Amino acid sequence: MLGGSVYPFMFAGKGGGVDHGLATAIFWAMSAGLVNGVGFKPRFFLWRWLFSGWSCMFALLLAAWLRLT
């Protein structure tokens, strides 16, 4: 997230506009990393899956794929 704050054009698409898919994937990865990093484990299985370490890795890979395509 520090990279996005220093260089916000990282979130720009090929046409110069905002790439909402990329931003969503990065924000999901950031949220999952924060929730999982502090050791919080949600009780509801859907939230537990969305904020797990595996979903953080998946969101980062998705963001990289969206950025490179």
Side-chain angles (χ1 to χ4, degrees):
M1 218 43 233
L2 180 64
S5 297
V6 172
Y7 186 67
F9 297 109
M10 175 181 13
F11 298 115
K14 293 182 181 172
V18 177
D19 187 354
H20 293 286
L22 175 65
T24 301
I26 289 174
F27 294 145
W28 175 24
M30 182 184 67
S31 300
L34 179 71
V35 169
N36 192 37
V38 298
F40 180 72
K41 301 290 183 203
R43 292 184 184 188
F44 186 55
F45 72 94
L46 178 64
W47 303 131
R48 191 178 312 141
W49 180 82
L50 282 174
F51 295 116
S52 69
W54 290 108
S55 67
C56 179
M57 184 177 66
F58 173 75
L60 284 174
L61 290 173
L62 176 65
W65 179 74
L66 287 171
R67 182 67 180 146
L68 294 175
T69 58

